[in-house]
Amino acid sequence: MRREPALDAYRRKRSFAHTPEPSGNEALGGGWRFVIQKHWARRLHFDFRLEWGGVLKSWAVPKGPSLDPAVKRLAMEVEDHPLSWGDFEGVIPKRSYGAGPVIVWDRGTWEPLSGSLDEGQLSFWLDGEKLVGGWTLRRWSDERRKWL
């Protein structure tokens, strides 16, 4: 069985002749960047992205990050994005996938503390411009896309 390259799903959803989004390439991993983008698509949400294996692993967080450890927020895993998305700000045109304005809300570096995405739980430290501290992503259900 052929393994789908990490950015195939991302590219299938977009027409790069009509959108300013970067088409990007998978890169050699090793970086520890993160970015959070505020995205006004159908509804306002925040896109949380961790550099992992040469791509940005990505989750849509409808209510944005919380600073209160007692508050759990839904994070829906979405397709991997190219590393160049970490600097993207602009307006995705109407009738395009994810149409609407995108701004960088926070960025910085991250460090894994324990667990892994493959195990369904990853604790990590963020050192961003706005967010500094420890967070955990935990798979919420048997459906692989739902995380808290």
Side-chain angles (χ1 to χ4, degrees), residues 73-84:
R73 297 280 169 89
L74 175 66
M76 291 297 292
E77 188 172 1
V78 297
E79 72 276 2
D80 296 342
H81 283 57
L83 295 176
S84 51

Side-chain angles (χ1 to χ4, degrees), residues 21-51:
E21 298 169 89
S23 59
N25 290 313
E26 295 166 66
L28 295 176
W32 297 102
R33 294 183 309 150
F34 83 90
V35 65
I36 300 173
Q37 288 157 311
K38 202 170 182 179
H39 186 179
W40 290 266
R42 282 182 279 154
R43 292 193 173 98
L44 173 62
H45 66 278
F46 291 76
D47 291 313
F48 176 63
R49 306 183 197 286
L50 294 175
E51 184 173 349

Side-chain angles (χ1 to χ4, degrees), residues 66-107:
S66 172
L67 298 177
D68 181 349
V71 174
K72 309 297 183 223
R73 297 280 169 89
L74 175 66
M76 291 297 292
E77 188 172 1
V78 297
E79 72 276 2
D80 296 342
H81 283 57
L83 295 176
S84 51
W85 240 96
D87 297 316
F88 178 72
E89 290 187 309
V91 177
I92 300 169
K94 290 180 181 180
R95 294 184 296 282
S96 295
Y97 178 78
V102 176
I103 63 167
V104 172
W105 184 81
D106 195 14
R107 68 174 61 156

Side-chain angles (χ1 to χ4, degrees), residues 8-15 78-79 96-97:
D8 281 0
Y10 170 82
R11 290 188 185 109
R12 270 196 311 273
K13 293 180 177 184
R14 291 160 178 85
S15 172
V78 297
E79 72 276 2
S96 295
Y97 178 78

Side-chain angles (χ1 to χ4, degrees), residues 7 9 15 20 29 37 43 49 54-55 57 65 70 72-73 76 83 88 107 116 118 122-123 125-127 142-143 148:
L7 295 175
S15 172
Q37 288 157 311
R43 292 193 173 98
R49 306 183 197 286
V55 298
K57 299 301 278 184
K72 309 297 183 223
R73 297 280 169 89
M76 291 297 292
L83 295 176
F88 178 72
R107 68 174 61 156
S116 77
D118 292 337
L122 175 67
S123 294
W125 184 268
L126 296 180
D127 188 9
D142 290 339
E143 184 185 333
L148 292 175

